[in-house]
Amino acid sequence: MSQYPEDEFDAAGRDRGPQGVHREPRSLLRALAPFLAVIVIVPLLAWGAVSLLAGNDGEPAADPTPVETTAEPSDEATSEEETSPEEPTAEETEEEPTPEGETTEPVDEAVFTASISVLNGAGINGLAGDVAAQLGEAGFTTVGAADYGAGSPEVTTLYYRNADLAATAEAIGELLGVGNLVEAPSATQNVEIALVLRSDFAGR
């Protein structure tokens, strides 16, 4: 009890009953909101945790599928292949065998060293010198030219001293187109081969 005497305010307070606060009734959506939040948020948190753990393991989410690709050659590479020649193989560089029936004989140097005299009996000025020059260009090393005034032979004739000079005589005849070859030691006393040119000489 208070030590002060009771006044009118104390009497009014005894007569007043308890009064509560008036609150508006809650809606259904607000009432269900906590439950909905739990239903949505909890699965999301669980999914995030699983994804995080899977990412920490360092394993890819899916195995990549290999794709086969075919590299297309560039125009530059193609042009190089077309223009670039192939290196010959060791077999290709080997000398091809000589076909059967064909033999390559070494050239006898004696054929070109025989002494030759070209005699101009055709009446054409400078003919013997021209033929002698032609023989020199062909490789014959000892060739002379002179005029010829005797009456025989009547046609262009090539005289050679002996059978050892037959190959040289044939080479000269083939070169100049002379077919009349005669072995005559008496006609070749000063030289080994004497070629008498007549008007029938056509030359080559």
Side-chain angles (χ1 to χ4, degrees), residues 108 110-111 114 160-169 183 192-193:
D108 188 0
V111 171
Y160 58 97
R161 183 179 297 177
N162 51 47
D164 294 337
L165 296 170
T168 303
E183 182 180 348
E192 294 176 294
I193 294 176

Side-chain angles (χ1 to χ4, degrees), residues 108-116 135 140-143 158-176 178 181 192-194:
D108 188 0
E109 294 183 359
V111 171
F112 297 98
T113 58
S115 59
I116 304 170
L135 291 173
F140 295 94
T141 59
T142 307
V143 183
L158 190 150
Y159 298 98
Y160 58 97
R161 183 179 297 177
N162 51 47
D164 294 337
L165 296 170
T168 303
E170 291 175 359
I172 295 173
E174 183 177 356
L175 176 65
L176 301 177
V178 177
L181 309 180
E192 294 176 294
I193 294 176

Side-chain angles (χ1 to χ4, degrees), residues 46-187:
W47 177 81
V50 172
S51 300
L52 181 61
L53 293 175
N56 291 336
D57 291 339
E59 297 179 358
D63 294 333
T65 302
V67 179
E68 296 182 359
T69 58
T70 303
E72 295 291 338
S74 63
D75 295 339
E76 183 177 357
T78 304
S79 62
E80 290 181 359
E81 292 179 359
E82 293 177 355
T83 57
S84 303
E86 297 181 357
E87 292 295 333
T89 62
E91 295 180 356
E92 292 177 351
T93 55
E94 292 181 358
E95 184 178 356
E96 296 182 359
T98 303
E100 295 183 1
E102 297 182 6
T103 58
T104 303
E105 297 181 357
V107 178
D108 188 0
E109 294 183 359
V111 171
F112 297 98
T113 58
S115 59
I116 304 170
S117 179
V118 181
L119 304 175
N120 185 5
I124 301 174
N125 189 24
L127 180 60
D130 294 340
V131 174
Q134 185 177 354
L135 291 173
E137 292 176 357
F140 295 94
T141 59
T142 307
V143 183
D147 291 333
Y148 183 76
S152 61
E154 296 181 357
V155 296
T156 300
T157 304
L158 190 150
Y159 298 98
Y160 58 97
R161 183 179 297 177
N162 51 47
D164 294 337
L165 296 170
T168 303
E170 291 175 359
I172 295 173
E174 183 177 356
L175 176 65
L176 301 177
V178 177
N180 190 22
L181 309 180
V182 178
E183 182 180 348
S186 60

